[in-house]
Amino acid sequence: MPQPSDQHRMKGRVRSARPAVAAAVAAGLVLAATGCGSGSGSGSGSKASGGPVNLTYRIWDSTQQTGMQHIVDAFQQANPNIHVRIELVANKEYWTKLQADATAGSAPDVFWMNGPNAQLYESNKQLLALSSNVLKQNGVDLANYPAALNQLYNLGGTQYGIPKDFDTVGLWYNKKLFDAAGLKYPDASWTWQDVQNAAKKLTDASKGQYGILAPPYGQENYYDTIFQAGGYVIAPGGKSSGYAKPEAQAGLKFWSDLVKDGYSPSLKSMTDTFAAQQFESGKIGMYYAGSWNCMEFSKSDTIKDSVDVAVLPQGVKKATVIHGLANVGYAKTKHPAEVEKFLAFLGSKQANEIEAKDSGVIPAYNGTQQAWVASFPNFHVQSYLDELPYAVAYPTSKNTSAWQNQEAAVLAPAWDGGEDIGTAAQQLATMMNTALSKEQ
């Protein structure tokens, strides 16, 4: 789903890496970062065969399978000559199997793609290019999706994926703890200073209570504050790291200081127990969490009636990272015309409305998200949508995992108090620049 954040993308959607965190710790790192195929065939734009066609659609999330099947059923009703079989592959095996199948020329006709892997698959010529003519012929208008989401799948000026869903990040807060401390609830006017002030007042060591959770998570935490500080993770063009810049370091320091000041549990505590689970204990005042956590919190007997969510507080400016999955076609499919038709339907308003009701994710098609909002009446999840005007695309490169999987491990000493955050950031920039140089 990329970083730890992609729990639901990879939702897990950048969606996944949480188990990797625990594995890395066990290995000595304090915390780690975040059917049959179609075979080769003619290129995009070929005419439909006219006869019955069988397509395979690969996904990784069992909780979305029912919703995806409802979408497939609707597509097949309108296109009786095209049969689509959903193939579920567990998240932990998805990328390994997909890469092996794509390399062997036997990948599924259509499959889920995430931002961190898109450039890699495109550079290996494994994704079906969707020209403007192809999109137009199939009734696809990219203006119907968030611009930052389209950006993740537009490579070299060519579109390779049609957005499926997305996630942004919001500030969750425990109303009971805020009430007890006599604090006003977070709102759109909040800044970093408001977070720091509230975290201090909400912390009560004698009760094992902390003002905020500040784990070294990318999408949920320091990516957002880096952009809010006016910095960037990776420079436009993907050739250099932004971690050596003072703005990026300010975004990191926001979080490491919260741990240093004792307003957050220790790094070890956040390593031993997932942050979301700690928030559900009812002893944490605030938590930056992705929209994929809404379902979990709504089912928690401990906090479901005592928490809510607001937009992220701003630094120098407002920003939130947006990530989302896209549906893509295999470059070597034998049925490109049928794949293009199916991709167009998957990206349609009709399919997104089905997804909003049945899959528990925020659909990508603009104007279809209210069904998702309505599914969480006890929370102000509209906050996740209110952030779209200033959403920033999840940072990726051709080989994202080469540097991203090392981020939290390099930053861990600063989170643990043993190293200056500027020193750790410089080390991260050096490592990342080395990795990026190998992509050129």
Side-chain angles (χ1 to χ4, degrees):
M1 192 271 211
Q3 246 325 92
S5 51
D6 273 307
Q7 188 176 7
H8 87 288
R9 289 268 144 238
M10 290 204 27
K11 182 175 170 192
R13 282 128 158 332
V14 222
R15 5 202 323 258
S16 81
R18 299 293 187 233
V21 172
V25 173
L29 297 176
V30 178
L31 187 67
T34 130
C36 296
S38 302
S40 60
S42 57
S44 176
S46 63
K47 295 181 180 179
S49 62
V53 168
N54 294 314
L55 301 179
T56 301
Y57 179 32
R58 185 176 294 180
I59 67 175
W60 66 64
D61 187 353
S62 60
T63 64
Q64 294 191 53
Q65 187 170 7
T66 297
M68 295 302 99
Q69 187 61 58
H70 289 164
I71 292 172
V72 166
D73 292 344
F75 172 75
Q76 291 180 153
Q77 184 174 1
N79 300 273
N81 285 338
I82 305 176
H83 178 265
V84 180
R85 178 174 64 86
I86 292 178
E87 179 181 75
L88 178 68
V89 175
N91 177 272
K92 63 181 180 180
E93 303 169 357
Y94 185 90
W95 296 106
T96 300
K97 181 171 175 54
L98 181 62
Q99 186 57 64
D101 290 344
T103 301
S106 57
D109 300 279
V110 179
F111 48 95
W112 284 359
M113 178 53 60
N114 67 6
N117 284 292
Q119 291 187 49
L120 177 63
Y121 279 77
E122 184 277 331
S123 66
N124 289 331
K125 303 186 185 306
Q126 294 165 334
L127 301 183
L128 185 67
L130 303 174
S131 68
S132 56
N133 285 337
V134 165
L135 294 172
K136 184 176 181 179
Q137 289 168 7
N138 286 280
V140 177
D141 183 354
L142 294 178
N144 288 322
Y145 315 99
L149 201 54
N150 285 324
Q151 181 183 333
L152 284 170
Y153 303 100
N154 190 292
L155 309 171
T158 299
Q159 196 73 19
Y160 287 91
I162 298 179
K164 171 190 174 293
D165 55 41
F166 70 84
D167 46 65
T168 53
V169 182
L171 171 61
W172 285 82
Y173 56 96
N174 188 305
K175 294 183 289 186
K176 287 185 178 180
L177 299 185
F178 268 73
D179 291 343
L183 292 170
K184 292 184 177 180
Y185 299 154
D187 60 29
S189 71
W190 266 40
T191 66
W192 288 6
Q193 189 63 57
D194 291 308
V195 174
Q196 293 161 343
N197 293 342
K200 180 178 181 179
K201 293 180 180 179
L202 290 164
T203 299
D204 188 339
S206 67
K207 297 180 181 179
Q209 177 179 307
Y210 292 92
I212 192 168
L213 283 161
Y217 291 169
Q219 181 179 359
E220 301 100 312
N221 288 7
Y222 57 83
Y223 285 177
D224 299 285
T225 50
I226 285 173
F227 287 119
Q228 289 166 8
Y232 55 85
V233 175
I234 182 171
K239 295 184 178 181
S240 64
S241 169
Y243 282 113
K245 304 290 184 180
E247 295 86 357
Q249 292 178 25
L252 293 170
K253 191 173 186 295
F254 172 83
W255 294 102
S256 61
D257 279 356
L258 289 167
V259 179
K260 178 182 177 182
D261 293 338
Y263 305 151
S264 165
S266 67
L267 179 60
K268 183 180 186 305
S269 173
M270 292 184 288
T271 300
D272 292 343
T273 304
F274 285 160
Q277 293 174 336
Q278 291 196 49
F279 184 64
E280 290 179 71
S281 72
K283 293 186 176 183
I284 303 295
M286 295 175 287
Y287 176 44
Y288 282 39
S291 48
W292 59 88
N293 284 119
C294 294
M295 184 67 73
E296 180 178 351
F297 294 162
S298 71
K299 295 180 178 179
S300 172
D301 292 333
T302 305
I303 65 168
K304 65 182 180 182
D305 297 321
S306 61
V307 300
D308 207 346
V309 60
V311 298
L312 291 185
Q314 69 182 57
V316 174
K317 61 181 181 179
K318 291 180 177 291
T320 183
V321 169
I322 186 172
H323 179 258
L325 301 188
N327 287 297
V328 300
Y330 183 42
K332 294 183 179 180
T333 178
K334 292 180 179 178
H335 309 290
E338 289 82 2
V339 164
E340 290 160 0
K341 181 176 288 190
F342 181 47
L343 286 172
F345 186 83
L346 288 171
S348 68
K349 182 178 182 180
Q350 179 183 355
N352 277 247
E353 288 174 337
I354 295 172
E355 183 172 50
K357 292 188 301 181
D358 297 342
S359 297
V361 297
I362 308 177
Y365 196 101
N366 294 332
T368 65
Q369 294 93 4
Q370 288 308 308
W372 177 81
V373 172
S375 66
F376 299 103
N378 293 336
F379 304 141
H380 187 63
V381 298
Q382 177 66 37
S383 298
Y384 287 108
L385 306 183
D386 292 343
E387 298 177 315
L388 287 177
Y390 49 85
V392 181
Y394 190 97
T396 65
S397 69
K398 188 178 296 184
N399 189 12
T400 310
S401 63
W403 51 270
Q404 193 177 74
N405 289 347
Q406 302 302 315
E407 284 181 326
V410 175
L411 294 172
W415 249 255
D416 208 24
E419 188 172 81
D420 174 73
I421 191 66
T423 300
Q426 290 287 350
Q427 293 173 348
L428 183 54
T430 299
M431 178 278 293
M432 188 172 172
N433 283 330
T434 299
L436 292 173
S437 68
K438 297 177 181 179
E439 298 183 7
Q440 308 308 317

